[in-house]
Amino acid sequence: MIRIITVEREFGAGGAVVAQKLAQQLGWKLWDDALTAEIARMAHVDQESVERVDEHCDSRFYRLMKVFMRGSSERSLPVPGLDTFDADRMVQLMGRVMESAASEGNCVIVGRGAPYFLRDRADAYHVFVYAPWEEKIRRVCCSGKSEEEAVDLISTIDQERVTFVQRYFGKEWPNRHLYHLMVNSKVGEDVVVDTIISQVSKLA
């Protein structure tokens, strides 16, 4: 019985929207912003600090943290107070949050390394959402970014994910052997959601 669906995604592919619609249709809890809030609570920082935008922070530590804590908003998140933790400690903290969410079950978890943390759980179904370059540019521009900004975000954010996964899990990103389903969002978010639900229902 599948009780957890993780949704990993390329930046700009619409994976967070897919996850939101999926959770709504299933009546499950969505761990996206809620996950960020839980991280903030466990790290003893306030929610506003976790959500603060600063796309110009270049330290290695904060680059890792923004990969870790970025949710559907795809914001970089240098957080006052987190300098007392090293990145390794934060990986452990994230693992605890993931296991806690998974133990509750009936949830959809967006990104943040969830497929890697939960890769050994038989009740987890892992989805990767991708899209053609032009489609990702279109989506990001529709959110208010210029084409130049869209190109920069799509290139840098996914590269950060590659670096993070290689460092902490020793795997490529995306790791095609990890996912049960990889789907192109250009077919439409509703089609993607229906496809996921159809595939998961076959495992019930």
Side-chain angles (χ1 to χ4, degrees):
M1 178 71 71
I2 299 300
R3 302 171 58 249
I4 307 140
I5 299 175
T6 68
V7 180
E8 187 60 272
R9 69 282 186 236
E10 292 180 338
F11 178 70
V17 176
V18 167
Q20 182 180 29
K21 291 186 174 185
L22 182 62
Q24 289 174 345
Q25 193 159 329
L26 292 172
W28 287 8
K29 180 169 182 176
L30 177 65
W31 283 95
D32 190 352
D33 291 341
L35 194 55
T36 300
E38 180 64 7
I39 295 166
R41 185 189 70 79
M42 295 182 71
H44 304 293
V45 296
D46 60 80
Q47 179 84 16
E48 290 183 1
S49 294
V50 174
E51 294 176 347
R52 182 173 301 170
V53 177
D54 181 0
E55 296 181 351
H56 303 290
C57 187
D58 292 324
S59 74
R60 182 180 69 177
F61 174 78
Y62 284 118
R63 285 201 303 271
L64 288 171
M65 290 308 98
K66 70 182 180 182
V67 172
F68 240 177
M69 302 178 76
R70 180 182 291 122
S72 61
S73 57
E74 305 297 346
R75 293 172 290 196
S76 56
L77 302 166
V79 182
L82 286 184
D83 55 334
T84 59
F85 296 84
D86 61 18
D88 294 339
R89 169 65 181 133
M90 291 304 295
V91 171
Q92 294 173 359
L93 180 60
M94 178 61 75
R96 288 171 52 193
V97 175
M98 291 292 176
E99 287 297 337
S100 177
S103 67
E104 293 181 14
N106 293 348
C107 61
V108 178
I109 304 176
V110 180
R112 301 179 181 86
Y116 297 90
F117 284 112
L118 305 177
R119 61 189 178 278
D120 294 326
R121 293 191 65 110
D123 58 350
Y125 188 87
H126 305 301
V127 178
F128 188 87
V129 180
Y130 65 94
W133 179 264
E134 295 78 10
E135 175 68 8
K136 292 187 288 187
I137 293 292
R138 183 191 68 79
R139 284 177 175 270
V140 176
C141 288
C142 285
S143 71
K145 301 293 185 181
S146 68
E147 184 171 348
E148 182 179 357
E149 289 173 323
V151 168
D152 180 63
L153 286 169
I154 292 169
S155 300
T156 58
I157 288 175
D158 282 349
Q159 185 55 50
E160 287 165 357
R161 290 170 175 164
V162 168
T163 301
F164 172 76
V165 170
Q166 286 178 338
R167 174 168 179 171
Y168 285 100
F169 300 103
K171 303 291 185 182
E172 66 176 1
W173 186 91
N175 183 351
R176 291 159 180 79
H177 301 291
L178 179 64
Y179 303 102
H180 298 90
L181 177 68
M182 301 183 78
V183 58
N184 187 338
S185 62
K186 191 173 182 179
V187 299
E189 293 154 1
D190 292 336
V191 174
V192 173
V193 170
D194 290 343
T195 300
I196 296 171
I197 291 175
S198 174
Q199 293 302 309
V200 168
S201 67
K202 295 176 182 179
L203 302 175

